[in-house]
Amino acid sequence: MKILAIDTSNEACSAALLVNQAVDQQFEIAPRRHGELILVMMQRLLEQAGLELRDLDALAFGCGPGSFTGVRISTSVIQGAAFGAELPVVPISTLAAIAQGQFRREGHRRLLAALDARMDEVYWGCYEVGEDNLVELCRAEEVCPPERVEPPPGPGWQGVGPGWGIHGDVLANRIGSALEGANPNGVCESRDIALLAAAELAAGRWVPAEQAIPVYLRDQVTRVAKA
């Protein structure tokens, strides 16, 4: 299986190429440079692997939530590439990828992913790692004030994502003793998007290019256009 994945949903910009079990990633923290970097990263990965777009099985992208502008960049890039190469697209939640990355790094299996949503709110996702070592959503992702997130069931939860750096005290107070710790430096990486996308593609869960759309979790997207 060969999948090229990208993410520009927040400050990090990344692209990853999964070929069978091996993943190669280009990654840079580059606020406001995503449009400049992402196509270069994609092309570099393909050239290093001796592949062209038409050789791939699918494309994947972080479909949100995140920065309005950033999510639109990745959506536009992936739609254009998928149309041109006639490839299926696998949209992956950025919160899911953040949670998957924390499992990859430190092995935590109960994960609370949080991103700052501006307007004194957080994007929030509750995940558990299944027997296949992939994260599974426990309940619907949401956007809400940090003091109103729904506490997860049971103990042993690990927070992850930049939302914990901004709203950590409020979130920790809300979760209480069920929280074991938090990593506010965990960000969305394309390598985790690619891994999740491989499972989705194998299960037949993909969309054509025109249906590869952003997920904002919030209707008032115009109010966060400057994110």
Side-chain angles (χ1 to χ4, degrees):
M1 185 176 290
K2 298 182 286 293
I3 296 175
L4 181 63
I6 67 170
D7 180 67
T8 60
S9 61
N10 285 279
E11 290 191 354
C13 178
S14 65
L17 180 63
L18 180 148
V19 179
N20 298 324
Q21 301 300 316
V23 182
D24 190 16
Q25 177 174 264
Q26 300 279 320
F27 177 92
E28 186 172 342
I29 301 294
R32 299 180 179 85
R33 294 182 60 212
H34 297 31
E36 169 191 344
L37 292 174
I38 193 60
L39 289 171
V40 175
M41 288 179 171
M42 294 168 66
Q43 188 60 38
R44 186 178 298 146
L45 287 168
L46 290 170
E47 289 177 352
Q48 290 174 349
L51 297 172
E52 297 185 11
L53 273 176
R54 64 173 178 267
D55 298 321
L56 302 175
D57 295 301
L59 298 173
F61 75 113
C63 64
S67 155
F68 174 77
T69 302
V71 172
R72 289 301 306 171
I73 289 172
S74 61
T75 301
S76 299
V77 168
I78 220 70
Q79 282 184 335
F83 271 125
E86 298 183 341
L87 291 172
V89 178
V90 185
I92 296 295
S93 161
T94 52
L95 292 171
I98 289 171
Q100 186 69 40
Q102 183 65 18
F103 170 71
R104 169 176 53 82
R105 288 185 298 269
E106 299 186 23
H108 298 108
R109 304 189 76 91
R110 297 187 125 188
L111 298 147
L112 300 169
L115 288 167
D116 180 36
R118 305 287 180 91
M119 298 163 56
D120 297 319
E121 292 183 323
V122 291
Y123 296 121
W124 182 255
C126 175
Y127 292 89
E128 290 196 69
V129 178
E131 293 182 358
D132 57 359
N133 287 332
L134 299 177
V135 295
E136 300 173 357
L137 188 62
C138 299
R139 58 172 70 101
E141 295 175 348
E142 61 180 330
V143 56
C144 65
E147 63 271 16
R148 291 177 56 189
V149 300
E150 186 175 352
W157 292 88
Q158 172 76 18
V160 61
W164 285 92
I166 298 173
H167 305 285
D169 290 343
V170 177
L171 291 172
N173 183 65
R174 181 66 172 164
I175 305 306
S177 61
L179 184 70
E180 288 192 344
N183 175 18
N185 298 316
V187 297
C188 183
E189 295 187 43
S190 291
R191 63 185 301 160
D192 300 304
I193 291 174
L195 184 64
L196 293 169
E200 292 294 289
L201 183 65
R205 292 188 288 267
W206 55 271
V207 298
E210 65 271 16
Q211 293 180 28
I213 59 175
V215 173
Y216 298 115
L217 295 185
R218 173 190 278 151
D219 293 332
Q220 312 98 299
V221 294
T222 56
R223 298 180 63 184
V224 291
K226 295 182 180 180

